[in-house]
Amino acid sequence: MKRRSLLSLAVLTGAGAILGGCSADERQSALTFTNRLRIPPPAAPVTDPDGAKRFTLTLQTGSTEFRPGTVTAGTWGVNGSYLGPAVRANRGDRVRMSVVNRLPEATTLHWHGMRLPAKMDGGPHQMIEPGTTWTPEWTVDQPAATSWFHPHPHGKTAMHVYRGLAGLFLIDDPDGPRLPSAYGVDDIPLIVQDKEIDSDGELETGGVDRGTFGLLGSTILINGTYDPVLPVSTSLVRFRLLNASNTRVYRIGFADGRRFDVIAGDAGLLDRPATVDRVKISPGERVEIVARFFPGETVVLDSRGEPRRTANDIEEDDFHLLEIVAAAQLTPSPAPPATLGGPGRATTPPGARVRRFSLSGSEINGRDMDMSRIDEVVPAGAVEIWEIDNTTYAHNFHIHEVSFRILDIDGSPPPPYQAGPKDTVFLPKNANARLLVHFGPHTDPLTPYMYHCHLLRHEDKGMMGQFVVVGPGTEHLVPRNLPTGHHHG
Ligand code: C2O
Ligand code: CU
């Protein structure tokens, strides 16, 4: 069945969402899988005299033809009119980014999932004014992973991401296991985003910064491709799923219910493949899967809401995402290894420091984000337990710089596919999670990292806090107020 109509969006979209001229049903049922899936082009670095790989990323405005013959104005992209290239680096590489802001307003570029010094992080304290260039650099020192980049200006992230500013940052480890890795052939990124695009092609933005959840769009784009189809030519294909939507949560699998292997989460490989028929992925999260195809078949990748639906959750709509068409002859792929090299199940270390974060409405521990306030001071290299208690509707929780493991959700261990290294965790209504968080070595008492809900409407409303990482034993010396709420540079 190629057609499935949407459930009512009206109850889910919040006060300000705009559904546009034709109904969600009409638009979704029009999918015919006719546009070849776009693969984000690899970014081409130059090697600087000191050996660093330099990538130039230009943030720019443009218009984009999502539907053939219909031009959508007002999209933003990186080195193009919508989304950006795939930046790629090896573990151990020195990278230097030239981020050129050709937008009409100030923004930032944050390296989501990257472990680096706070000044290089691209959070709300590293604003890039229009017409200027920001040049962070760092040494990539973390396991292979599918990371990404997107703007992070305080209060404006939702709109900047919605207009199209986001891209992949793939980290490779030459010592890693042998996996499908021919980019665009059997290693396919899938950046999943929902938009509201009306019949004239206009990008609806009115709901993005309104309502409880902001805009929940009825049009799904994959890598910026509307109504996408992907021909495949190998028996196994690795898909790197990235939820780069503002708010939507997907439960992704195949329409025919076939099972597949999850090999990695946000921050790296699992210890062994986890076989599932669906993965849930909330904004900011990544899941890498390997799926098997048979010669000549056609199968649809889709998203289906939880069978048991609860009021005020946000993952409840059904969508077709992508049609995959297997060639009549498929090149046989070697089986993925039985062990992948990631860490095994996390256990609670005795004596670890515990910090508690209560999520209510769009506040954390009863407070809104304040750019001049340091909420937490963490010693470098610490391993801590962060308990996240969601007392209201659906949220998620992302921590910059770190990698964490989910110890438990509502008292139970996470499903095996979510047991690996992560940086973002979904918290359904009233859920709580305990995270085992590994902090990095980079100290800076004056420049904070962020933790926040990655539902961008919530983040923009102030559901964010700041922590600094400092030399062990110096915690008490750290000022809890920053001299200014807003520094540039
Ligand atoms: Cu993906 Cu604080 O961000
Ligand atoms: Cu939230």
Side-chain angles (χ1 to χ4, degrees), residues 271-330:
D271 62 337
R272 63 194 62 226
T275 306
V276 298
D277 58 6
R278 293 267 156 202
V279 289
K280 183 172 273 203
I281 181 168
S282 73
E285 288 186 287
R286 290 86 70 208
V287 178
E288 293 185 33
I289 69 172
V290 173
R292 177 172 293 279
F293 298 102
F294 298 95
E297 71 172 348
T298 293
V299 58
V300 171
L301 189 77
D302 68 6
S303 180
R304 310 198 57 163
E306 288 286 355
R308 181 176 304 196
R309 298 170 184 202
T310 51
N312 217 358
D313 262 345
I314 48 170
E315 74 271 27
E316 312 203 356
D317 298 314
D318 294 350
F319 292 101
H320 287 163
L321 302 177
L322 171 71
E323 186 179 69
I324 297 154
V325 179
Q329 312 271 316
L330 294 178

Side-chain angles (χ1 to χ4, degrees), residues 361 393-396 453-455 458 463:
Y393 43 78
H395 294 294
N396 72 8
C453 179
H454 217 291
L455 275 48
H458 296 175
M463 197 165 195

Side-chain angles (χ1 to χ4, degrees), residues 110-113 121 123-124 148-152 157 283-284 398-400 424 450-454 456 459 464:
H110 165 58
W111 321 104
H112 180 133
D121 192 42
W148 63 301
F149 53 84
H150 63 77
H152 216 301
T157 295
H398 167 52
I399 312 174
H400 286 206
T424 306
M450 306 295 131
Y451 55 85
H452 58 90
C453 179
H454 217 291
L456 301 182
E459 177 182 336
M464 179 152 60

Side-chain angles (χ1 to χ4, degrees), residues 201-259:
E202 201 178 320
L203 187 65
E204 304 272 7
T205 56
V208 170
D209 41 25
R210 279 189 242 146
T212 303
F213 289 116
L215 185 146
L216 287 154
S218 60
T219 295
I220 305 293
L221 303 178
I222 309 287
N223 301 344
T225 317
Y226 172 69
D227 200 10
V229 59
L230 173 73
V232 299
S233 58
T234 57
S235 60
L236 294 181
V237 178
R238 171 193 197 167
F239 294 102
R240 300 171 185 257
L241 303 170
L242 160 63
N243 183 346
S245 302
N246 282 32
T247 297
R248 273 201 187 283
V249 176
Y250 305 94
R251 239 178 105 249
I252 295 179
F254 292 95
D256 65 0
R258 75 182 57 194
R259 294 166 76 76

